[in-house]
Amino acid sequence: LVEAKSVPMGLLATGGGKSLTFQLPALVLSRYRRELTVIISPLKALMEDQIMGLQSIGHWGNRAACLISGQTEEEQSKILDGIWSGTIDLLYISPERLRTHTMQTLLSRRRPALWVVDEAHTISQWGTDFRPDFLRIGRLIANCYRGENITPPQVMLVTATAAPRVIQEIDNEIIEPL
């Protein structure tokens, strides 16, 4: 675990339990406080795999979801309703989805207790090349808390690879806006 300024960053090898580092706190937040955790993830297949795994174990049932391309409008609407009503407490989304007006509005009304950026190294590697929304994550999270006199959101970063230069870029893009 390293500190990217004031945000914990888990640096664990692939298969080293990165998902558990945020799924366990998300479970506690869900079970005892009915609070929302949002995981920003770069890959649709990774999100789907995580959701299938979570839904196969006890508490999560239908409390975990992902919003991804390829879902029907009805499926997406049901998930959005579940987030709003509090029946979904763990949500996987892409940075591009976070940018949408619908998500920004929803997450500014049901503010997540915990934000996680999975595969955080992609902020540096993909943000400048072909997915600029990775560079907007910090500002988009901050937007959900705009105009409120509340404490800054809890953010956690996880990755298997992050050289010192990558950690510095993450500080600049994610941490500074918060």
Side-chain angles (χ1 to χ4, degrees), residues 28-125:
V28 171
L29 289 167
S30 171
R31 173 163 268 165
Y32 298 106
R33 294 175 36 190
R34 284 294 176 244
E35 293 196 77
L36 178 64
T37 297
V38 173
I39 297 101
I40 301 167
S41 182
L43 301 170
K44 178 181 171 181
L46 179 61
M47 289 187 257
E48 290 174 315
D49 184 57
Q50 291 288 315
I51 292 300
M52 286 188 342
L54 285 169
Q55 290 179 340
S56 71
I57 56 177
H59 169 77
W60 289 112
N62 292 322
R63 300 197 74 79
C66 61
L67 280 169
I68 54 176
S69 62
Q71 290 172 322
T72 66
E73 191 173 312
E74 182 179 316
E75 289 172 313
Q76 290 188 15
S77 181
K78 184 178 177 184
I79 292 168
L80 293 170
D81 289 345
I83 296 163
W84 177 245
S85 69
T87 59
I88 291 177
D89 294 328
L90 184 107
L91 175 68
Y92 282 83
I93 59 173
S94 69
E96 292 82 6
R97 179 74 60 159
L98 177 60
R99 177 178 39 88
T100 67
H101 177 74
T102 300
M103 286 309 300
Q104 286 287 291
T105 301
L106 178 60
L107 297 177
S108 67
R109 293 190 176 136
R110 184 172 182 221
R111 290 184 181 92
L114 175 63
W115 293 84
V116 179
V117 180
D118 196 8
E119 304 297 341
H121 65 279
T122 57
I123 294 165
S124 171
Q125 293 176 348

Side-chain angles (χ1 to χ4, degrees), residues 104-163:
Q104 286 287 291
T105 301
L106 178 60
L107 297 177
S108 67
R109 293 190 176 136
R110 184 172 182 221
R111 290 184 181 92
L114 175 63
W115 293 84
V116 179
V117 180
D118 196 8
E119 304 297 341
H121 65 279
T122 57
I123 294 165
S124 171
Q125 293 176 348
W126 294 2
T128 56
D129 293 337
F130 68 99
R131 286 182 77 181
D133 286 311
F134 277 89
L135 298 178
R136 298 181 185 115
I137 292 172
R139 286 181 300 243
L140 292 169
I141 291 172
N143 284 346
C144 295
Y145 298 82
R146 182 168 290 156
E148 297 292 327
N149 189 17
I150 56 177
T151 57
Q154 295 295 311
V155 178
M156 174 188 245
L157 309 165
V158 292
T159 186
T161 58

